């Protein structure tokens, strides 16, 4: 506490900010009297005493004292699991439901099935790849802003999709926008969950990933029930409202637990010399495309099996 | 099967994944280890993908979708853990997972378009993309099995 006190004495302007930091630390699930070794970090951060820095001290986790070992259960920890489950449902569930959109796009767009499946592929690729960067934001203490931006981009993408008419509009909204948004918020959320659990971590994360499957049910069911009745625009807007409602819960109740910590390097060249690791990742590169092949084409193929292949062919030539 | 009914396939594929995402992790932790569970799942995947070629009736299609949903979801839920299994230094696990996700993301990018291009080239015959998916899974399984054996030995009963 000495460091904090001296910091306050040296700079009176920071009084307000210190107070806000204190009130935040009281909210933390395990209030710890231990003066954290991260104190100097908070001091250097709060030196420019302008509005921006004051806001930053509230949105980052710099003010959190190290709360000790993970609670591994309890109301707060399980709330995080519920929120993360919703977030995974809204991000990966939406990616996994692309199979529901594929046959519809094939029927309304003149583009080939291959060109159309780029929409879902780009979405999945961005979800995987952006996590590499956004996961580090959690470690650096920028949980809330990162997740907030991700959620905003994803919801923007879905509502823009509802007005899309041409292939490029579908690609930019569903492919890029929702992919970037989901990719930004899902990794920090998964990472946050694992900081709340130790021995039950496997089970907790298993429950969270089941949101993936539930999303893959919810979205196609909504599409199936509504597409014929209210048209594509309103169907997608309903999906958007589902996301708004559940992601608001996520942003309201998810709470970072740990102070910022040093992150590892983005790329570790040593890993490239590790033959089993490289072989395994290479193997995964062969295993992942077939999974998406099935997820995107399981629905179109079942249509084709019933000689309905003609239906889509004729609609395509008409349009 | 009309469009709205065909969406049942997507729903089933995801729905049966709920138990299949939790159970393999439990079996792996409790009994045989995550890499062994992965290899068993992949063998199941190979058999199912090749048998997709033979599915030609609606009841068979429903059965196939349920079975693939189980094995496909098991694979999807296991693969991040298996990558972590190859990183012995815990401080670098995050970096290695990130690198792997970046590369696998690019691989996932080509999955849909390749199958679509093969479908167009074969003039709507699903045999070609299905054969490609199955063959690719065979290659991937061989690479993953080799990686497991190089790292943990060629014995069958090693928990890893």
């Amino acid at each position: 506490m000495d460091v904090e006190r001296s910091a306050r004495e040296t700079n009176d302007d920071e009084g307000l900010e210190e107070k806000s930091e204190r009130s935040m630390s009281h909210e933390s699930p395990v209030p710890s009297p231990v003066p954290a070794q991260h104190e100097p970090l908070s001091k250097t951060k709060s030196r420019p005493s302008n509005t921006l820095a004051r806001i930053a001290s509230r949105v980052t986790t710099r003010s959190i004292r190290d709360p000790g070992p993970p609670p591994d259960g309890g109301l707060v920890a399980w709330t995080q699991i519920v929120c993360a489950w919703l977030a995974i449902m809204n991000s990966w569930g939406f990616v996994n439901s692309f199979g529901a959109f594929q046959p519809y796009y094939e029927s309304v767009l003149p583009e080939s099935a291959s060109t159309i499946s780029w929409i879902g592929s780009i979405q999945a690729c961005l979800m995987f790849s952006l996590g590499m960067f956004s996961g580090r934001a959690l470690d650096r203490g920028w949980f809330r802003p990162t997740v907030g931006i991700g959620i905003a981009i994803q919801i923007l993408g879905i509502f823009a999709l509802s007005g899309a008419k041409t292939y490029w509009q579908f690609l930019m909204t569903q492919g890029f926008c929702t992919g970037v948004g989901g990719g930004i918020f899902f990794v920090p959320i998964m990472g946050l969950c694992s900081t709340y659990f130790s021995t039950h971590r496997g089970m907790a994360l298993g429950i969270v990933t089941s949101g993936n499957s539930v999303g893959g049910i919810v979205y196609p069911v909504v599409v199936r029930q509504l597409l014929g009745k209210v048209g594509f625009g309103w169907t997608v807007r309903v999906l958007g409202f589902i996301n708004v409602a559940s992601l608001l819960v996520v942003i309201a109740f998810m709470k970072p637990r740990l102070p910022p910590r040093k992150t590892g390097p983005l790329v570790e060249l040593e890993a490239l010399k590790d033959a089993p690791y490289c072989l395994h990742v290479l193997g995964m590169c062969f295993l992942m495309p077939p999974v998406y092949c099935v997820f995107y084409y399981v629905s179109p193929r079942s249509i084709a099996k019933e000689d309905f292949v003609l239906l889509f062919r004729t609609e395509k030539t008409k349009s | 099967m009309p469009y709205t009914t065909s969406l049942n396939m997507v729903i089933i594929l995801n729905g049966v994944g709920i138990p299949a995402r939790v159970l393999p992790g439990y079996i792996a932790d409790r009994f045989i280890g995550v890499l062994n569970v992965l290899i068993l799942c992949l063998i199941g995947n190979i058999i199912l993908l090749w048998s997709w070629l033979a599915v030609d009736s609606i009841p068979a299609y429903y059965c196939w979708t349920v079975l693939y949903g189980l094995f496909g979801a098991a694979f999807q839920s296991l693969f991040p853990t298996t990558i972590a299994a190859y990183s012995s230094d815990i401080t670098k696990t995050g970096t290695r997972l990130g690198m792997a996700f970046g590369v696998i993301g690019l691989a996932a990018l080509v999955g849909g378009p390749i199958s679509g291009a093969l479908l167009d080239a074969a003039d709507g015959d699903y045999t070609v993309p299905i054969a490609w998916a199955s063959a690719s899974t065979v290659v991937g399984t061989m690479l993953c099995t080799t990686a497991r054996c190089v790292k943990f030995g060629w014995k069958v009963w090693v928990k890893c």
Side-chain angles (χ1 to χ4, degrees):
Chain A
M1 283 296 168
D2 291 39
V3 189
E4 193 191 14
R5 199 168 296 140
S6 65
R8 218 178 333 161
E9 279 160 11
T10 50
N11 195 345
D12 275 342
D13 289 355
E14 286 177 8
L16 182 69
E17 196 173 331
E18 292 287 357
K19 249 176 244 161
S20 79
E21 285 185 7
R22 259 147 199 269
S23 64
M24 259 189 95
S25 77
H26 283 302
E27 281 166 29
S28 81
V30 190
S32 160
V34 186
Q37 52 273 54
H38 305 278
E39 214 55 66
L41 203 58
S42 122
K43 184 185 159 194
T44 47
K45 178 64 194 170
S46 57
R47 185 156 283 163
S49 63
N50 51 27
T51 321
L52 204 66
R54 216 169 289 154
I55 291 167
S57 85
R58 254 167 253 179
V59 292
T60 70
T61 59
R62 281 170 201 280
S63 52
I64 297 177
R65 315 294 187 268
D66 196 344
D72 206 34
L75 183 64
V76 181
W78 287 108
T79 310
Q80 309 305 310
I81 295 299
V82 172
C83 290
W85 184 88
L86 284 171
I88 297 302
M89 187 196 100
N90 288 321
S91 53
W92 277 108
F94 194 57
V95 175
N96 277 356
S97 327
F98 184 73
F101 292 93
Q102 171 93 21
Y104 173 75
Y105 292 161
E106 281 182 32
S107 69
V108 296
L109 294 173
E111 275 78 11
S112 68
S114 167
T115 319
I116 287 164
S117 55
W118 278 108
I119 300 171
S121 287
I122 284 174
Q123 197 186 8
C125 170
L126 288 167
M127 290 280 293
F128 274 118
S129 311
L130 287 177
M132 198 171 163
F133 305 99
S134 63
R136 304 165 69 78
L138 169 71
D139 293 339
R140 293 275 167 89
W142 290 91
F143 178 78
R144 285 232 165 105
T146 316
V147 169
I149 290 168
I151 287 175
I153 296 175
Q154 204 228 21
I155 287 172
L156 179 77
I158 293 177
F159 281 103
L161 171 67
S162 71
K165 291 281 182 292
T166 65
Y167 173 72
W168 278 102
Q169 290 167 347
F170 287 116
L171 186 71
M172 294 314 285
T173 53
Q174 189 170 13
F176 279 96
C177 225
T178 64
V180 168
I184 289 174
F185 74 73
F186 104 90
V187 173
I189 284 174
M190 291 292 278
L192 184 69
C193 280
S194 59
T195 67
Y196 276 89
F197 287 88
S198 53
T199 51
H200 295 111
R201 186 176 292 169
M203 196 181 61
L205 291 181
I207 293 170
V208 170
T209 53
S210 74
N212 195 325
S213 298
V214 175
I217 301 174
V218 170
Y219 294 104
V221 165
V222 173
V223 171
R224 188 184 67 178
Q225 296 301 326
L226 293 184
L227 196 59
K229 292 178 191 138
V230 296
F232 182 77
W234 272 104
T235 305
V236 174
R237 258 163 252 154
V238 168
L239 300 181
F241 288 126
I242 293 174
N243 274 27
V244 169
S246 37
L247 292 173
L248 277 178
V249 174
V250 171
I251 199 88
F253 289 103
M254 285 208 92
K255 194 157 63 175
R257 200 182 77 88
L258 298 177
R261 60 194 170 95
K262 235 182 129 223
T263 48
L266 194 60
V267 175
E268 182 210 354
L269 290 174
E270 279 296 300
L272 300 178
K273 291 182 194 151
D274 186 350
Y277 170 80
C278 291
L279 271 176
H280 187 73
V281 173
L282 187 67
M284 288 291 158
C285 291
F286 279 94
L287 293 168
M288 202 46 80
V291 172
Y292 286 95
C293 170
V294 177
F295 271 87
Y296 296 169
Y297 288 99
V298 70
S299 162
R301 188 186 181 228
S302 66
I303 298 167
K305 269 289 142 190
E306 271 284 286
D307 292 344
F308 273 91
V309 66
L310 284 171
L311 174 120
F312 280 129
R313 283 283 151 81
T314 45
E315 277 184 26
K316 209 185 285 183
T317 45
K318 254 187 269 169
S319 58
Chain B
M1 200 185 290
Y3 170 57
T4 46
T5 319
S6 82
L7 289 185
N8 287 345
M9 296 306 161
V10 185
I11 295 163
I12 293 170
L13 195 61
N14 283 298
V16 295
I18 299 171
R21 273 171 203 279
V22 186
L23 200 61
Y26 178 76
I27 297 172
D29 292 344
R30 206 63 195 274
F31 304 107
I32 57 175
V34 67
L35 292 175
N36 291 332
V37 176
L38 179 83
I39 291 168
L40 289 176
C41 278
L42 290 176
I43 292 169
N45 264 313
I46 293 172
I47 296 168
L48 280 166
L49 280 169
W50 283 114
S51 63
W52 198 9
L53 290 170
V55 174
D56 54 2
S57 68
I58 291 177
Y61 207 90
Y62 273 101
C63 291
W64 182 87
T65 310
V66 168
L67 287 173
Y68 183 83
L70 288 172
F71 281 89
F75 164 69
Q76 277 189 304
S77 79
L78 279 177
F79 90 88
T81 331
T82 60
I83 296 164
Y86 281 101
S87 144
S88 32
D89 180 359
I90 200 155
T91 56
K92 290 183 181 138
T93 308
T95 307
R96 290 202 168 190
L97 262 177
M99 287 166 69
F101 268 56
V103 176
I104 293 166
L106 291 178
L109 181 64
V110 299
I114 284 187
S115 16
L118 289 171
L119 187 64
D120 289 344
D123 202 26
D125 182 2
Y126 277 87
T127 311
V128 182
I130 292 171
W132 163 77
S134 316
S136 177
T137 309
V138 172
V139 174
T141 307
M142 277 158 50
L143 286 168
C144 285
T145 314
T146 315
R148 178 257 190 217
C149 292
V150 170
K151 176 106 178 172
F152 297 98
W154 294 83
K155 268 188 282 185
V156 178
W157 296 116
V158 182
K159 188 177 173 182
C160 59

